[in-house]
Amino acid sequence: MYEDINDIGSSREKEKKQNKEDKRRLEQEKREQKEKEKKELELRKKFKLVGPVEVLHQARACVDYKGGKNELTVKQGE
């Protein structure tokens, strides 16, 4: 019949925490997206790519590899 005052406050705190968490997660996703776009532009300039890039294969590097003049340098996990 009656609600406890402490329950009302705790539910509001939970909502606020949830909203803060959601905002933080969205901001983190935006930062990661900007970082990916920046990296892509950097690679486009470096390799002089024009137009859309069509992905043929995807892979992850197991170890670091320092490329040469005509080879790509990769780090583990990229």
Side-chain angles (χ1 to χ4, degrees):
M1 185 168 197
Y2 294 104
E3 291 183 19
D4 189 16
I5 294 174
N6 294 334
D7 289 342
I8 295 171
S10 64
S11 64
R12 287 182 184 164
E13 288 176 15
K14 287 179 184 177
E15 287 178 24
K16 286 181 183 180
K17 284 183 181 180
Q18 185 68 26
N19 288 340
K20 281 185 179 181
E21 231 176 78
D22 290 342
K23 284 183 181 181
R24 187 177 51 83
R25 186 176 39 84
L26 287 173
E27 287 178 15
Q28 180 69 23
E29 289 174 1
K30 285 181 184 179
R31 266 189 252 122
E32 288 175 358
Q33 182 67 26
K34 281 186 179 182
E35 197 173 291
K36 285 180 183 179
E37 289 174 1
K38 184 177 178 183
K39 193 171 185 179
E40 183 180 342
L41 286 174
E42 215 173 87
L43 291 173
R44 282 182 176 274
K45 285 182 182 179
K46 184 175 181 179
F47 293 101
K48 300 175 185 172
L49 300 174
V50 180
V53 176
E54 184 179 334
V55 178
L56 300 176
H57 303 283
Q58 288 185 339
R60 287 204 177 266
C62 297
V63 293
D64 291 350
Y65 179 76
K66 186 173 182 181
K69 181 179 177 183
N70 296 324
E71 296 175 345
L72 187 62
T73 300
V74 293
K75 294 180 183 176
Q76 185 175 358
E78 284 187 336

